[in-house]
Amino acid sequence: MTRIVGEIREGVARLVSAAGGSPEEIVAAIDDLGVPVVADIVLAELRHRADLGTYTGVEVRFALRHGGDTVSVHLPGEPSGAAPDAVVEQSLAEVVQGLFGPRGPRPAATRVLRWRDLDSREFITDPPPTFAVVRRLLDAIDRPYAAGLAELCVRYGSDKWGIHQYPRHYEHHFDAIRDRPLTILEIGVGGYADPGRGGASLHMWKRYFPRASVFGLDITDKSALSEQRLTVLAGDQSSPTDLAEVVAQTGPLDIVIDDGSHVSAHLLASFGALFPVLRDGGLYVLEDLQTSYWPNFGGRADVFDDPATSVGFLKQLVDGLNHEDIEGRQPRATDAAIGGLHFYHNLCFVEKATNLDGAPPSWIPRS
Ligand SMILES: C[S@@+](CC[C@H](N)C(=O)[O-])C[C@H]1O[C@@H](n2cnc3c(N)ncnc32)[C@H](O)[C@@H]1O
């Protein structure tokens, strides 16, 4: 099982990489991985993106051509044996490019779409659910960057929209990098002590970033929620040992989102362990900072600059932005590594970037 999961993960990484290149590179990747493996990856991706939930009664067949062969995948489930409601014929390479390629035109130049009941009069008077199903499936290939984050929060049930109003801030920072093959870790899977519950925001990130590898970490073992492009790990965000094991699995990170316990000491421990493994240009996001003022979460409302609270700690990082201008300052590891801090209601984005612009000329009197 582990070997199969590993193969799929490597296969997806290979396809994502190839989809950023030429059509020939995609064809070569399919040849190397084998058509059945690629068809399985395509099927899982279509299922996730189209999210067909209630449309169980409609059968669609994708006939995917590669070289002289055609491989078929069926949605939403196994073929019933009857003629499918719709058949989509397309080259496998073009579907891979659509699913895993960066932003850009998707001409669907090799696609043929056939409706089984085209001659039926009801097709005009009473459009069938097949139309909606096929549109969702084709949107997964043709418009992978169309859905907004608030819409995806609602679709998957994340409280980042509704209780919080985070999507517009996330989109402000994430839209420009949405089509990159990022590695993303979110602390806090959701569902608390129930191993089978949670994953709303992880599904949202997986859908929002169609080329990314998404990892989730929770103190409750929710590894059963793992699937293609989504790995759920168990561990305590306040334990450096657990976090080292997490990093051994993820490798360098592009984005970390802390939506875990919201206990200040835990936030600081995770930041200390994970910020160093963030890639240059990466973003570290801390959610629900209101708890910095709530004693139940290790916060304080009597003083506002206690560095043991999450917001007090972040305020210190603001001074670090100007570290070259502060005479006699004891250097800190983060001083030269944080290029920006963006504060919003209950939310902060920390930008990892070299911060060594230099102080203004020394002849300007300081005191
Ligand atoms: C607010 S929920 C996460 C919601 C999810 N990110 C979403 O938006 O759908 C917080 C999660 O953090 C987990 N958690 C609590 N303490 C933790 C710790 N010390 N380490 C890791 N996860 C923790 C809880 O089990 C819970 O599932």
Side-chain angles (χ1 to χ4, degrees):
M1 182 66 185
T2 314
R3 193 178 62 82
I4 294 169
V5 170
E7 267 176 22
I8 294 291
R9 195 186 289 177
E10 281 164 29
V12 172
R14 177 80 204 273
L15 292 178
V16 166
S17 167
S22 65
E24 291 73 22
E25 285 172 72
I26 303 174
V27 168
I30 296 170
D31 287 341
D32 287 353
L33 293 166
V35 169
V37 170
V38 177
D40 281 351
I41 292 172
V42 163
L43 179 61
E45 203 61 40
L46 282 172
R47 276 213 179 103
H48 179 261
R49 293 193 196 180
D51 189 24
L52 293 175
T54 52
Y55 293 113
T56 46
V58 176
E59 194 175 326
V60 181
R61 179 161 74 92
F62 278 76
L64 303 168
R65 295 185 298 271
H66 186 72
D69 299 333
T70 299
V71 62
S72 288
V73 299
H74 293 257
L75 290 118
E78 292 300 312
S80 65
D85 298 275
V87 176
V88 180
E89 294 173 23
Q90 194 166 359
S91 98
L92 181 55
E94 195 175 58
V95 170
V96 166
Q97 204 279 331
L99 288 173
F100 296 120
R103 279 181 168 119
R106 283 161 163 72
T110 66
R111 181 179 296 154
V112 177
L113 168 60
R114 298 182 208 287
W115 308 103
R116 186 190 58 201
D117 299 324
L118 189 61
D119 285 339
S120 142
R121 277 178 186 276
E122 284 78 43
F123 252 44
I124 299 211
T125 55
D126 189 10
T130 314
F131 287 173
V133 169
V134 174
R135 183 197 62 77
R136 273 177 176 249
L137 288 164
L138 297 186
D139 274 358
I141 302 167
D142 299 344
R143 306 174 69 232
Y145 300 100
L149 204 52
E151 179 188 338
L152 295 176
C153 281
V154 174
R155 188 190 293 186
Y156 295 113
S158 170
D159 71 356
K160 292 184 195 321
W161 165 249
I163 292 176
H164 304 288
Q165 298 180 30
Y166 296 151
R168 67 198 162 105
H169 305 306
Y170 273 119
E171 285 185 322
H172 177 72
H173 292 277
F174 286 174
D175 182 61
I177 54 172
R178 188 172 175 181
D179 69 349
R180 294 204 191 149
L182 306 169
T183 304
I184 299 168
L185 169 67
E186 178 161 20
I187 302 168
V189 173
Y192 296 88
D194 185 341
R197 282 193 56 223
S201 57
L202 298 178
H203 284 119
M204 179 193 76
W205 296 128
K206 174 175 159 175
R207 182 69 180 79
Y208 183 77
F209 293 105
R211 309 183 73 206
S213 296
V214 178
F215 290 84
L217 171 69
D218 205 282
I219 198 155
T220 302
D221 185 351
K222 294 168 186 284
S223 50
L225 299 173
S226 295
E227 57 184 47
Q228 185 166 295
R229 285 202 305 115
L230 171 53
T231 308
V232 182
L233 305 168
D236 181 348
Q237 74 167 121
S238 68
S239 158
T241 315
D242 286 5
L243 294 174
E245 280 172 24
V246 167
V247 170
Q249 297 257 355
T250 62
L253 295 160
D254 298 288
I255 293 174
V256 176
I257 296 154
D258 187 341
D259 185 22
S261 70
H262 305 304
V263 171
S264 283
H266 296 181
L267 259 79
L268 270 59
S270 301
F271 188 88
L274 298 175
F275 189 76
V277 294
L278 204 58
R279 287 198 175 102
D280 289 333
L283 288 164
Y284 197 108
V285 189
L286 301 102
E287 288 192 4
D288 292 12
L289 292 173
Q290 71 278 7
T291 57
S292 183
Y293 310 97
W294 296 353
N296 213 20
F297 293 80
R300 295 178 68 170
D302 52 344
V303 290
F304 297 131
D305 54 1
D306 179 350
T309 65
S310 49
V311 172
F313 168 75
L314 291 167
K315 284 178 180 170
Q316 287 205 328
L317 300 183
V318 176
D319 292 326
L321 285 177
N322 305 317
H323 68 101
E324 291 172 295
D325 311 284
I326 307 171
E327 285 177 2
R329 180 181 169 84
Q330 291 294 321
R332 296 172 191 209
T334 45
D335 281 354
I338 293 179
L341 286 149
H342 309 263
F343 289 90
Y344 306 95
H345 182 227
N346 296 339
L347 187 67
C348 180
F349 290 69
V350 183
E351 218 180 305
K352 186 162 183 179
T354 304
N355 175 35
L356 289 171
D357 287 356
S362 58
W363 52 261
I364 300 177
R366 264 47 176 180
S367 51

